[in-house]
């Protein structure tokens, strides 16, 4: 298939692009490089530097595209609280412009990179797609708004557009391509636990903070669901098929992605200590407002509707790949 990947110079987008190319697809990446990296785009992909809101129409006009995978977004929770306008403009208005271009050029498939932040503080665990969506920050609210927009565009398409939104939790690990450098996380502002812990092992920070050790969990620290980035990419390829065939044109399917069990902050730190051989000092800090004790996904729908199941759920293995990428980044 001929595919457009928006945000394909970012962490998840670049890994998904690599998987799409390995599967034999023709891929064009559109990215403004505001947070992505040009050298993360696999060499076999065509690259267009530009803003998704203004450049998507021109890219889709260059030929008959079979699908769009939409990763481009602003994604920092704290930043969204400080700059909500940036998120409503950068996420929602941009995505509506993309949907208009998809409709104008009659692209039949759309896969959207959504988030568990759409649920807010859950009432139950594991979280299912039927759980209430009550986002607690502008980032989650914008992603939910995009999900609603996609559903309405698909429903009004006269059967021309099928779409899938994938809501995932914590992504980690790195991709090891057959040729070329590893692809992993390298954010200017890092907020994710595993790369933050590995920064301690690299000597880039003195310690890692654990926000509370008195949560109602088995070891007192928060529990989160982690998924390997390669498993996530595999889900996007399956969703691409489902958007065109499985659920049929004119439909919008929402699926959660996760391992379904979860690991505590303390368990993540211990895994990083085992993998790196570094003591990694951890300091208990006050709880952060709005942090749920447990966030774990039910991926039953993804299993039954997409045929997806995580293959790389071992925490030490996820950390080992992230550690290999982190060391390679420092060495370069």
């Amino acid at each position: 298939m001929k595919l457009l990947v928006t945000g394909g110079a970012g962490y998840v987008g670049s890994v998904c692009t690599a998987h799409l190319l390995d599967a034999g697809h023709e891929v064009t990446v559109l990215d403004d490089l505001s947070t992505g990296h040009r050298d993360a785009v696999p060499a076999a992909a065509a690259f267009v530097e530009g803003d998704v809101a203004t450049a998507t129409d021109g890219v889709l006009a260059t030929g008959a595209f079979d699908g769009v995978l939409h990763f481009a977004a602003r994604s920092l929770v704290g930043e969204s609280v400080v700059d909500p306008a940036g998120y409503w403009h950068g996420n929602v208005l941009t995505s509506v412009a993309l949907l208009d271009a998809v409709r104008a050029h009659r692209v039949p498939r759309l896969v959207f990179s959504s988030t568990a932040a759409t649920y807010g503080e859950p009432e139950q665990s594991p979280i299912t797609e039927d759980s209430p969506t009550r986002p607690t920050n502008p980032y989650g609210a914008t992603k939910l708004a995009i999900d609603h927009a996609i559903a309405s565009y698909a429903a009004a398409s006269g059967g021309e557009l099928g779409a899938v939104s994938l809501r995932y939790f914590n992504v980690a690990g790195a991709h090891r391509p057959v040729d070329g450098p590893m692809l992993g996380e390298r954010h200017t502002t890092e907020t994710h636990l595993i790369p933050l812990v590995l920064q301690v092992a690299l000597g880039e920070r003195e310690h890692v903070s654990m926000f509370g050790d008195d949560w109602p969990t088995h070891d007192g620290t928060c529990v989160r669901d982690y998924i390997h980035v390669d498993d996530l990419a595999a889900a996007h390829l399956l969703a691409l098929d489902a958007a065109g065939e499985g659920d049929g044109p004119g439909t919008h399917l929402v699926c959660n992605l996760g391992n379904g069990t979860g690991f505590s902050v303390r368990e993540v730190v211990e895994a990083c200590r085992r993998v790196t051989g570094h003591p990694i000092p951890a300091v208990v800090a006050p709880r952060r407002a709005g942090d749920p004790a447990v966030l774990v996904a039910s991926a039953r729908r993804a299993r039954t509707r997409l045929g997806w199941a995580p293959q790389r759920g071992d925490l030490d293995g996820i950390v080992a790949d992230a550690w290999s990428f982190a060391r390679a980044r420092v060495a370069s």
Side-chain angles (χ1 to χ4, degrees):
M1 288 189 282
K2 184 175 182 178
L3 304 169
L4 172 64
V5 176
T6 69
Y11 172 39
V12 177
S14 64
V15 173
C16 190
T17 296
H19 278 254
L20 290 167
L21 291 167
D22 288 345
H25 298 297
E26 178 185 350
V27 182
T28 297
V29 167
L30 173 60
D31 199 299
D32 66 4
L33 301 181
S34 59
T35 57
H37 304 273
R38 178 64 181 89
D39 61 355
V41 180
F47 177 69
V48 176
E49 183 176 351
D51 183 82
V52 172
T54 56
T56 300
D57 184 73
V59 174
L60 294 181
T62 63
F65 279 79
D66 299 296
V68 172
L69 296 96
H70 182 31
F71 296 93
R74 298 180 67 172
S75 59
L76 298 177
V77 170
E79 182 183 66
S80 76
V81 175
V82 176
D83 180 25
Y87 276 68
W88 285 101
H89 283 270
N91 289 356
V92 178
L93 296 186
T94 292
S95 295
V96 170
L98 179 143
L99 285 166
D100 286 340
V102 164
R103 179 175 58 185
H105 297 283
R106 306 180 72 173
V107 179
R109 300 172 181 86
L110 174 66
V111 178
F112 175 53
S113 173
S114 192
T115 173
T118 55
Y119 296 111
E121 296 193 33
E123 294 181 349
Q124 64 182 42
S125 183
I127 300 169
T128 70
E129 294 82 0
D130 297 323
S131 298
T133 47
R134 294 191 291 257
T136 57
N137 53 72
Y139 165 61
T142 61
K143 287 285 196 169
L144 181 59
I146 298 167
D147 279 339
H148 288 317
I150 291 171
S152 61
Y153 272 70
S157 69
E160 291 191 351
L161 175 65
V164 178
S165 289
L166 299 176
R167 293 176 178 167
Y168 40 93
F169 291 61
N170 293 274
V171 186
H175 174 65
R176 300 172 182 265
V178 176
D179 298 309
M182 292 184 72
L183 300 171
E185 288 189 84
R186 44 175 168 156
H187 304 121
T188 301
T189 302
E190 188 55 74
T191 61
H192 297 158
L193 179 60
I194 289 176
L196 285 174
V197 178
L198 295 180
Q199 286 177 5
V200 181
L202 289 169
E204 296 177 350
R205 61 176 61 231
E206 292 184 357
H207 64 267
V208 65
S209 296
M210 299 190 298
F211 296 100
D213 62 352
D214 57 350
W215 295 92
T217 61
H218 64 279
D219 66 9
T221 62
C222 291
V223 172
R224 298 291 183 263
D225 200 329
Y226 288 86
I227 180 173
H228 195 288
V229 68
D230 281 333
D231 282 335
L232 186 66
H236 282 79
L237 269 68
L238 292 170
L240 192 65
D241 292 336
E245 300 171 7
D247 272 64
T251 61
H252 176 229
L253 175 67
V254 176
C255 290
N256 291 341
L257 301 178
N259 281 313
T261 52
F263 301 99
S264 72
V265 172
R266 198 180 300 277
E267 287 172 330
V268 170
V269 173
E270 288 296 340
C272 291
R273 288 169 175 160
R274 288 193 297 271
V275 169
T276 66
H278 191 282
I280 304 180
V283 176
V284 177
R287 290 187 182 190
R288 295 179 299 191
D291 260 357
V294 179
L295 282 177
V296 174
S298 169
R300 180 177 298 179
R301 181 180 292 178
R303 293 175 186 270
T304 58
R305 302 290 286 276
L306 304 181
W308 176 84
Q311 303 298 312
R312 307 188 63 184
D314 174 65
L315 181 58
D316 281 23
I318 292 173
V319 170
D321 282 349
W323 178 234
S324 294
F325 174 77
R327 286 186 296 172
R329 176 183 59 80
V330 171
S332 63

